[in-house]
Structures are given as C-alpha cells and as structure tokens.
Amino acid sequence: MRFVDEFRDAELARTLGTEIAALAEPGRHYKVMEVCGGHTHTIYKHGIEDHLPESVELVHGPGCPVCVIPMGRVDDGIHIAKQPDVIFTCFGDMMRVPGGDGSLIDAKAEGADVRFVYSPLDALKIARNNPDKEVTFFAIGFETTAPSTALTLMRAKAEGVTNFSVMSNHVTIVPPLMALLESPDLRLDAFIGPGHVSTVIGCRPYEFIPSDYGQPVVVAGFEPLDLLQSIYMIMRQLDQGRSEVENQYGRVVPWEGNLRALEILEEVFELRPYFEWRGLGFISQSALALTDAYSDFDAELRFNIPGVRVADPKACQCGEVLKGVIKPWECKVFGTACTPETPIGTCMVSSEGACAAYYNFGRFARSKARAGA
Amino acid sequence: MTAGGARVELPTYDPQSYGAVCATVDGCLVCGDVAVPVTVIEPGEADALCEDEHGARGAVGVELVVPVIQGDRLLVHGGVAISRLAPDRAGDSPERSDRPHDRAQGRESA
C-alpha cells in the first residue's frame, strides 16, 4: 500500500536496528523517553523494541492527555453534564475515564445528554442546532488539539453563539518535561520529541533540554521507520558527544511551528498558574484557561463546578507509569482488575495509554518479565 | 463476521469531519497526537472540502494554513488543518539519500 509500506519496510527496519546496535557503547545502558502516547502505541503495535539492543530501553512519558487528566476534573465535567438542559460533548476516550463517582458514560446511562464528537467544531454545530440548550465541550489535549478549540471559540464569538461553552483542560508539553528532568526518580539519556505537537509549537521550545540538561531531543514521526530512525539519530548524537534538537519529522514539522496557530492560542488562552496532572502532581503554568476576552464561553464560570480534588485509587499506579518509573506490567492491577474493558486507571482507558498499548499488543507479558527477573 | 453463529453486520463509518478517521488499533485521535493527511479538493477561506487517502471527503477548517489551493496536502487534527505537508518526495532515489528512511515517502499519521 502506497504511503504505508515504505515506512514499514522490514528490511530497512533491520538495517536501522543493526546501526543502532553498532552505536551502543558496550556496558552502557541507554534510557530514551518517548513523550507522546502515539509513539508508545507505534512502539508496541510494530514491535520496535524487538529491533533494539537490550541496552537501549524505551521509557514511556506523560504525552497522553486523557491519561493525565485528574479524577477531580472528570467529576467537574460530570457535574456540568448532569445540569438540566445541558448537552455535554467530549472526545470519545474521555467518556470512559473514571472519576471519583463513575464516568461520563455512566452519567449518560443515568440520563445525562452526553455526546462524543470528533472535533470541537462539531460541538459548535450542535450548539447552533439546539439554541434552547446549553452545549459544553470538555476540551482536552496538548498544543496539537488546543488550536482547534481556539478556532472553534473564535467562530462562536464571531457568530454570536451564546449557548456554547468550553471546559478547558488543555495542557502544554514543556512544563511536564521540565518536571521529569528535575525528578530524582528518573534518569534519562534522551527524548523522542512529540511529532504533531511540534507542528504547532515547532522545535525551538525543546532547546532547553540539550542546553540545560545535556540531553538530545529528536522530534519524530509515527511510523515504525520514523521511530527507528529517530533512535538512530539519538544514538548518533550520544556517540559523537553531541546534544541538540533534531527534527526527523521534517516532512510535517516546520522548525518554527505554525505561527498562525500560535497567534490564536495567544488570543484565546492564557496559562493557568498551576494545574494538577495525574501522577505528576501540580505543575505551574502547565495548562491553558480562557482569556478574559473569551470568559463568556468559559464553562467553569458559567456553571458552578465543585472543583474538588479526588485522590487516585490506591491500587492504581498510573502515576509511576506516566513518569516512566515503572513499566505497565509492574502495576499490581495490570491485566487483572484493570483491563481496557474495566479500566481503573487512565493509562488503560486511552488507546494511546502505555498500559493499553502493552495490554493490546502483549509485547512484554508479565510471565516473560518474571522469567527474565 | 459471525458471532455465535449469527451474522453480525459491521457498522458503516460515516465521518462527520476530517481528523475523524480513528480506528482503535491505529491509535486515537481524541487523546491527542494523531493526525490525518488529506488533499484539498475545493479550497475555501474558512473551510475546504478535502479528501483523505481512502477517498472519504469532508469539510476541514483551514484558517490556520490559509491560503490553500486545490491539490494542497494538509495534516488535519480534530477537524482543523494544523500543518501543510512537504511536497511529495517520490522522486528521491536511494542514491540521493544518506538515511534509509529518506528512501521512503509518504504517510504522516499514526
């Protein structure tokens, strides 16, 4: 199949695997974090680790926005969804994320009008078609998704749509990377940078990682050869004693990002002083709230949300998984009490979550891990 | 497809907008970093009719990448184009590239 087979060529993958192994220094262990959940998914779907030497370990990062939403925010969304005459819209994966007292899909089963959409523009369309209802969009996502929410809000404002609001849970990628780099739990050698986030923000925001922490960053695409080539580029930097930001995904990612998208993000959103991330705790200036110019569309102001902080279930170790401290199969409830059908933690809900990727593709079974221990 | 002897009809997929093509096994649009490459069929200033690689057509918000003309290739996420794709590099020969990956071309999403 054109456009697919070329980036999944097994012979080229083996060649890259051999070249990566040749660059690995004997006796050294390399820890490379893929920040993006999409990369985690590719790694397990295509068995990328099978092409890597044992000394190169891939660590999964916090780049799945569903996975990092704390339970209290889900509860706030459910509170809005249960208000009379409200149509609550969200992306599909968000429907199943457990809050402190059930999920949005549970709320729907109890009678709330909860609908999933593929685009915030679809939520605005629902608002136009239902002028007697309040339509709220539960916005999640990194800088990849935030521009579509911003564009939707600009259209709503221009059209004078008054029955539409957004509960913003948009987060930004750089602050959690800083938090990880400062974490004493984790020592990394390099980062595989997120691909589509970088189409918006470009590559410059990562420059502090090589300059301040001496670690290479390679922005990568999402096909198997993209990832293998990115790991090769990282290993080449480490071998040559360099640490730089490189862009493997040049066919999509401009070095400067999308300046128009950055402009509208600036107009519609402002940084929150702090925001809670599941597993990472409160991180300052890591999430986006609506600016004063768009406060009329702010669901948090329109509805009196409880804003209660809810602790994660004790059995769930999503926090450690999101920080890359443990592998999914090391969690006590992985694959037993927690499965994609009955998730306890968010990492099992989202198909980009590390736990779901391990569970679905079974690249590293618990039995294999024990045998190797 | 059959289940328990009974024939089960798979639901047909009718995307409302681009960026919507999200099969579970190929990752998930809604949790972030998945995007779909499309080609512009009918340009517009706010929305453009676009076609994906499977021939499905729909409206895409193009205000972040305007101006667009027929034949432009865009990367769409959540119904909005967030980037233009580099021109097709089909003409690249392996001899011209020093990286194995550069011998390949094409698909931008996962």
Side-chain angles (χ1 to χ4, degrees):
Chain A
M1 187 187 296
R2 190 167 178 246
F3 299 129
V4 174
D5 291 346
E6 297 91 334
F7 277 75
R8 299 180 181 183
D9 185 297
E11 189 55 40
L12 288 178
R14 278 190 284 273
T15 302
L16 279 166
T18 305
E19 291 179 7
I20 290 166
L23 289 170
E25 190 181 315
R28 181 174 175 184
H29 188 76
Y30 299 86
K31 279 182 135 178
V32 178
M33 173 173 275
E34 87 276 2
V35 176
C36 174
H39 287 151
T40 306
H41 187 90
T42 300
I43 287 163
Y44 289 100
K45 181 180 177 187
H46 296 283
I48 297 297
E49 286 184 324
D50 295 345
H51 288 284
L52 300 178
E54 284 187 9
S55 60
V56 178
E57 179 187 357
L58 296 177
V59 181
H60 321 305
C64 164
V66 172
C67 302
V68 299
I69 295 288
M71 294 177 84
R73 296 293 288 182
V74 179
D75 287 349
D76 289 345
I78 291 171
H79 175 82
I80 295 173
K82 287 184 172 176
Q83 301 301 307
D85 296 322
V86 164
I87 300 174
F88 194 84
T89 59
C90 62
F91 291 142
D93 270 16
M94 209 53 235
M95 300 273 283
R96 295 194 304 126
V97 174
D101 186 22
S103 63
L104 282 161
I105 208 162
D106 293 330
K108 184 178 175 69
E110 291 165 11
D113 192 347
V114 182
R115 306 180 189 182
F116 79 84
V117 292
Y118 291 111
S119 164
L121 291 170
D122 293 339
L124 180 59
K125 196 183 300 176
I126 292 171
R128 283 192 210 106
N129 295 339
N130 295 274
D132 55 335
K133 300 278 190 181
E134 280 287 335
V135 177
T136 298
F137 176 64
F138 189 87
I140 62 164
F142 284 90
E143 289 96 333
T144 327
T145 321
S148 60
T149 305
L151 188 66
T152 303
L153 284 165
M154 290 174 76
R155 288 191 184 183
K157 189 175 186 181
E159 295 172 19
V161 179
T162 57
N163 65 324
F164 179 70
S165 60
V166 167
M167 181 178 168
S168 174
N169 298 282
H170 285 302
V171 286
T172 55
I173 194 72
V174 167
L177 293 183
M178 281 181 160
L180 285 168
L181 284 161
E182 293 292 340
S183 169
D185 297 341
L186 196 60
R187 284 283 165 262
L188 298 168
D189 292 284
F191 286 89
I192 299 172
H196 294 146
V197 164
S198 304
T199 63
V200 174
I201 67 171
C203 299
R204 288 195 191 282
Y206 310 118
E207 285 178 341
F208 76 98
I209 298 176
S211 66
D212 297 355
Y213 296 90
Q215 296 183 13
V217 179
V218 175
V219 173
F222 293 85
E223 290 295 334
L225 287 184
D226 286 326
L227 278 166
L228 281 167
Q229 189 185 29
S230 300
I231 296 165
Y232 168 75
M233 291 165 73
I234 284 170
M235 295 297 287
R236 195 171 54 181
Q237 284 199 40
L238 292 170
D239 179 60
Q240 295 172 351
R242 291 185 292 125
S243 57
E244 301 168 8
V245 179
E246 291 184 312
N247 183 10
Q248 182 274 339
Y249 203 25
R251 66 187 190 279
V252 172
V253 175
W255 188 262
E256 301 291 344
N258 184 326
L259 298 179
R260 174 64 183 143
L262 292 171
E263 275 174 22
I264 71 162
L265 288 180
E266 182 83 19
E267 180 180 338
V268 175
F269 292 114
E270 61 187 10
L271 286 170
R272 293 177 187 270
Y274 54 86
F275 191 74
E276 184 186 5
W277 292 57
R278 184 179 282 231
L280 299 175
F282 286 91
I283 302 178
S284 63
Q285 301 197 321
S286 63
L288 303 175
L290 303 192
T291 56
D292 287 344
Y294 285 84
S295 58
D296 287 348
F297 297 93
D298 192 337
E300 292 181 64
L301 300 176
R302 191 172 296 195
F303 299 94
N304 188 22
I305 59 171
V308 177
R309 192 175 174 215
V310 181
D312 289 339
K314 281 186 180 171
C316 172
Q317 292 181 279
C318 276
E320 286 93 330
V321 172
L322 287 167
K323 285 191 288 189
V325 176
I326 66 168
K327 300 291 187 190
W329 48 264
E330 292 177 298
C331 174
K332 292 186 287 290
V333 291
F334 173 79
T336 53
C338 185
T339 66
E341 288 74 33
T342 55
I344 293 176
T346 46
C347 299
M348 190 63 93
V349 175
S350 163
S351 66
E352 283 194 10
C355 295
Y358 269 73
Y359 188 91
N360 287 329
F361 300 114
R363 289 286 169 186
F364 205 122
R366 189 185 290 233
S367 55
K368 183 178 169 187
R370 283 180 178 149
Chain B
M1 177 180 287
T2 59
R7 186 163 185 81
V8 177
E9 291 297 328
L10 292 174
T12 54
Y13 179 67
D14 180 23
Q16 297 174 3
S17 60
Y18 277 89
V21 181
C22 176
T24 305
V25 292
D26 278 335
C28 184
L29 159 79
V30 300
C31 57
D33 217 21
V34 173
V36 178
V38 299
T39 303
V40 175
I41 304 297
E42 289 180 21
E45 289 183 3
D47 294 308
L49 180 67
C50 297
E51 182 177 276
D52 74 5
E53 292 169 2
H54 304 288
R57 295 185 174 193
V60 167
V62 293
E63 284 155 284
L64 304 183
V65 293
V66 286
V68 295
I69 59 171
Q70 187 177 2
D72 277 354
R73 297 189 69 222
L74 309 174
L75 192 69
V76 177
H77 175 86
V80 173
I82 55 171
S83 182
R84 290 170 172 279
L85 303 184
D88 196 335
R89 294 187 298 182
D92 279 1
S93 67
E95 292 74 24
R96 286 168 54 192
S97 173
D98 63 347
R99 301 186 300 193
H101 179 92
D102 288 341
R103 297 167 204 163
Q105 60 171 338
R107 182 175 169 84
E108 291 79 13
S109 74

